[in-house]
């Protein structure tokens, strides 16, 4: 406990029947976030970076998982979830430039911004 309350653990039964006991909460995430992390390598993210706290930080979540920062014009917005950060970047880019002026390579999910 580093001031955020007790650390929770979970017993997980995966789709394939494998189990994991006493898994700390920092390793439990939404399925959509897990699949996104598997499908999209960090070097392929557009306009988003993962930020983690320094090694000497007592906050295990901030140190291990961290948060996501999306550059939206002159400001940087902070997100807990990768998908939210990637989509915020895409929305900002399309809203600012207009979809017709944005290359698919400038977006994380170009298929979500079809005309």
């Amino acid at each position: 406990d580093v001031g955020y309350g007790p650390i929770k653990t979970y017993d997980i039964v995966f789709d394939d029947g494998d189990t994991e006991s006493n898994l700390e909460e920092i390793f439990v995430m939404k399925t959509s976030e897990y699949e996104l992390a598997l499908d999209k390598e960090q070097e392929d993210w557009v306009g988003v970076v993962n930020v983690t706290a320094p090694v000497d930080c007592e906050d295990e979540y901030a140190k291990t998982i961290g948060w996501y920062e999306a550059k939206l014009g002159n400001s940087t917005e902070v997100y807990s979830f990768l998908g939210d950060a990637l989509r915020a970047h895409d929305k900002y880019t399309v809203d600012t430039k207009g979809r017709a002026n944005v290359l698919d390579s400038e977006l994380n999910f170009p298929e979500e911004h079809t005309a």
Side-chain angles (χ1 to χ4, degrees):
D1 181 355
V2 291
Y4 299 110
I7 296 173
K8 296 179 182 176
T9 60
Y10 296 87
D11 295 330
I12 306 290
V13 178
F14 296 97
D15 291 342
D16 64 1
D18 284 351
T19 61
E20 185 72 40
S21 295
N22 295 317
L23 191 64
E24 290 186 25
E25 64 186 328
I26 66 170
F27 300 111
V28 177
M29 64 180 71
K30 297 190 298 186
T31 302
S32 59
E33 284 293 299
Y34 176 73
E35 290 172 347
L36 183 56
L38 289 178
D39 291 343
K40 253 188 199 316
E41 298 290 330
Q42 189 166 348
E43 59 267 9
D44 296 329
W45 301 349
V46 181
V48 173
V49 295
N50 181 222
V51 180
T52 55
V55 204
D56 60 347
C57 177
E58 291 184 26
D59 184 333
E60 195 64 34
Y61 188 89
K63 185 170 57 175
T64 306
I65 306 299
W67 57 93
Y68 302 95
E69 292 184 352
K71 183 81 169 142
L72 308 177
N74 294 327
S75 70
T76 300
E77 300 291 324
V78 176
Y79 295 88
S80 299
F81 299 112
L82 174 60
D84 292 347
L86 295 173
R87 286 183 174 87
H89 168 271
D90 286 3
K91 182 178 182 335
Y92 177 84
T93 302
V94 169
D95 288 352
T96 303
K97 293 180 168 184
R99 180 59 176 111
N101 301 312
V102 177
L103 299 172
D104 283 357
S105 61
E106 296 177 84
L107 300 174
N108 294 290
F109 302 104
E111 67 279 2
E112 294 180 3
H113 298 275
T114 57

